[in-house]
Amino acid sequence: MGTATAGRNSRATAWHNWAGNVTATPARVVTPASVGELQEAVRRAAEDGLKVKAVGTGHSFTAAAATDGVLVRPQALAGIREIDRTAGTVTVAAGTVLKDLNTALAREGLSLTNMGDIMEQTVSGATSTGTHGTGRDSASIAAQIRALELVTADGRLLTCSEKENPDVFAAARIGIGALGIVTAITFAVEPVFFLTAREEPMGFDRVTAEFEQHFAENEHFEFYWFPHTGNCNTKRNNRSQGPASPPGAVSAWVEDELLSNGVFQAVNSLGRAVPATIPSIARIASRALSARTYTDIPYKVFTSPRRVRFVEMEYALPRERVVEALRELKSMVDRSGLRVSFPVEVRTAPADDIALSTASGRETAYIAVHMYKGTPYQAYFTAAERIFTAHGGRPHWGKVHTRDAEYFAGVYPRFGEFTALRDRLDPDRLFGNDYLRRVLGG
């Protein structure tokens, strides 16, 4: 039995997610070294009457992976299984960390088309919760899946693609862990290319007035608004001929330390201790920005280190509603006594065909709000969520929200298709937990 047996007998210890806002104490932890060991662990859990959940690196802010049953850690199921240059695909084991996939692909002269900005997640965790970057034409990581393997509640290994089990494929690319445990994913890849990034400070009124123009003119457009100010930072990433010309040392320090990590950690700690300082800090930080342009391969442009821990809520809105919602959010913050030290992030995605994708069937824009770890976030998130839901928003499956199955049935036209498939694949809710009961129903 190898690792699975060791995992089966491992003493239960409390598990917590990256942000520290979710904890769980599983009955046992299993670290399978093969798909066969994982299948055996699933069968054994069913025999013992225990629920089963797989957990990646814990980057979700929801309790999607929490369980008091069997916690599966797929990290030993890692690495590239196969590269098919003719088909333009790569097949990877589910526990592979995105950072490792990106560097391995780059060595092979290949790349994903689009990705999010955090690269610490496992490929199965990132895709199962709908992780995305920003793109006019290229969609979430899950939308780049061409096939996947899934261990179902009866211990079978199911292969899914547009040709094989297409109904499962339509849903399982973003399955929130409800349909089974993903063991391998086949992604579409392409020859590695260069992106030229242009970062430029811009006023809130201008960037919101010109939002559709920036979206139309750029392959990847996003911006950050600094609450308590009228200042934003815009980012435009477009393909170019190269050559690589990475950021200079000073601008890299400003971005990576001042705005993302070391110094940002310090000012957030100050803001948590003395909230009255936050508006002044926001004005200083947002004014520290200057325009910069650099060129590199995709993962070096799309992703960046994130060492400052936070809690996040993100909603997907119809793209034509995002500017109105953002203006309402700014008015709400300006009127309130809230003190918000983290920028608000705005990104986009084209419509896709995945049942529970936040961009399913509609052109989408995202608004993400964050609060520094340990800072009370409920008042801010509650007020923001009220605005987002009024615009028909769909919350990110891995980020803080209070919505339930009744709400989702109203904002996802294919919600019933997903829950019917779940009833067929997991009638006894072996992969269930409290979070899935809330968001998918009994």
Side-chain angles (χ1 to χ4, degrees):
M1 301 288 177
T3 314
T5 307
R8 182 171 184 259
N9 298 326
S10 66
R11 198 162 50 83
T13 52
W15 168 86
H16 62 84
N17 66 340
W18 178 82
N21 68 315
V22 177
T23 57
T25 305
R28 59 179 183 246
V29 178
V30 180
T31 313
S34 68
V35 173
E37 285 185 3
L38 173 59
Q39 290 175 279
E40 177 61 26
V42 168
R43 290 191 198 104
R44 195 170 270 154
E47 287 168 12
D48 294 347
L50 293 171
K51 305 287 188 190
V52 188
K53 295 307 298 178
V55 63
T57 53
H59 265 270
S60 286
F61 302 93
T62 63
T67 187
D68 58 5
V70 178
L71 191 73
V72 176
R73 289 189 164 279
Q75 276 76 354
L77 303 174
I80 291 179
R81 282 197 193 173
E82 182 191 7
I83 293 173
D84 186 334
R85 292 181 187 273
T86 307
T89 60
V90 60
T91 301
V92 293
T96 308
V97 175
L98 280 167
K99 178 169 56 181
D100 299 334
L101 173 61
N102 287 332
T103 52
L105 286 175
R107 283 197 299 271
E108 297 287 342
L110 299 168
S111 177
L112 293 169
T113 299
N114 198 357
M115 59 196 80
D117 67 343
I118 295 175
M119 53 180 174
E120 310 301 330
Q121 309 112 309
T122 59
V123 292
S124 54
T127 54
S128 293
T129 54
T131 295
H132 61 92
T134 189
R136 181 190 62 204
D137 312 305
S138 51
S140 70
I141 308 176
Q144 297 169 66
I145 295 176
R146 294 296 170 264
L148 58 83
E149 282 179 11
L150 193 70
V151 172
T152 54
D154 57 7
R156 283 183 307 140
L157 187 65
L158 204 62
T159 304
C160 316
S161 66
E162 285 184 346
K163 294 183 177 145
E164 201 171 354
N165 297 303
D167 56 334
V168 181
F169 182 69
R173 285 171 286 171
I174 298 179
I176 340 170
L179 304 177
I181 296 178
V182 175
T183 56
I185 298 174
T186 299
F187 291 104
V189 289
E190 59 177 303
V192 74
F193 52 93
F194 286 109
L195 284 170
T196 292
R198 171 70 177 169
E199 298 178 8
E200 183 183 352
M202 197 176 287
F204 180 91
D205 292 340
R206 181 184 163 196
V207 76
T208 51
E210 297 176 356
F211 175 73
E212 278 298 320
Q213 179 187 336
H214 294 305
F215 166 80
E217 290 176 354
N218 296 281
E219 291 171 73
H220 308 274
F221 176 68
E222 65 184 305
F223 69 94
Y224 298 83
W225 163 59
F226 292 81
H228 313 296
T229 80
N231 303 330
C232 297
N233 193 33
T234 62
K235 291 189 173 189
R236 292 169 248 200
N237 300 329
N238 291 287
R239 292 187 186 223
S240 71
Q241 294 302 306
S245 174
V250 173
S251 71
W253 183 88
V254 168
E255 173 65 25
D256 293 337
E257 292 305 315
L258 177 62
L259 295 173
S260 303
N261 292 304
V263 180
F264 193 51
Q265 174 94 41
V267 298
N268 271 280
S269 297
L270 171 63
R272 182 171 65 189
V274 191
T277 61
I278 287 174
S280 303
I281 291 169
R283 284 190 288 272
I284 293 164
S286 62
R287 285 191 196 125
L289 294 163
S290 57
R292 65 174 185 165
T293 302
Y294 54 95
T295 301
D296 219 321
I297 61 174
Y299 84 86
K300 294 184 178 180
V301 172
F302 284 133
T303 69
S304 51
R306 288 279 182 268
R307 296 196 302 273
V308 180
R309 304 210 176 202
F310 54 84
V311 179
E312 180 178 358
M313 168 184 281
E314 181 182 62
Y315 264 76
L317 310 177
R319 200 183 74 238
E320 66 274 10
R321 307 292 293 273
V322 73
V323 168
E324 183 184 350
L326 189 64
R327 286 174 177 151
E328 289 172 17
L329 184 70
K330 183 176 187 298
S331 296
M332 180 275 291
V333 171
D334 289 346
R335 285 194 318 269
S336 73
L338 294 168
R339 293 291 175 259
V340 181
S341 61
F342 255 84
V344 172
E345 184 179 25
V346 178
R347 295 179 288 174
T348 70
D352 65 39
D353 64 348
I354 305 169
L356 291 190
S357 166
T358 47
S360 183
R362 75 184 189 194
E363 293 284 321
T364 294
Y366 298 92
I367 303 179
V369 296
H370 313 70
M371 278 296 239
Y372 182 49
K373 181 184 173 181
T375 307
Y377 62 83
Q378 284 83 356
Y380 177 38
F381 283 14
T382 298
E385 190 172 42
R386 199 172 291 128
I387 293 167
F388 302 152
T389 54
H391 291 279
R394 299 167 176 170
H396 189 299
W397 295 108
K399 298 178 185 178
V400 175
H401 68 89
T402 66
R403 301 297 89 189
D404 60 14
E406 185 181 3
Y407 180 85
F408 291 121
V411 294
Y412 282 99
R414 296 170 66 183
F415 187 75
E417 174 188 326
F418 187 95
T419 54
L421 180 67
R422 183 190 186 210
D423 288 342
R424 179 161 67 80
L425 289 180
D426 187 16
D428 299 324
R429 303 294 187 256
L430 180 69
F431 302 114
N433 64 7
D434 290 344
Y435 178 73
L436 291 180
R437 191 175 303 113
R438 169 162 72 88
V439 301
L440 297 177

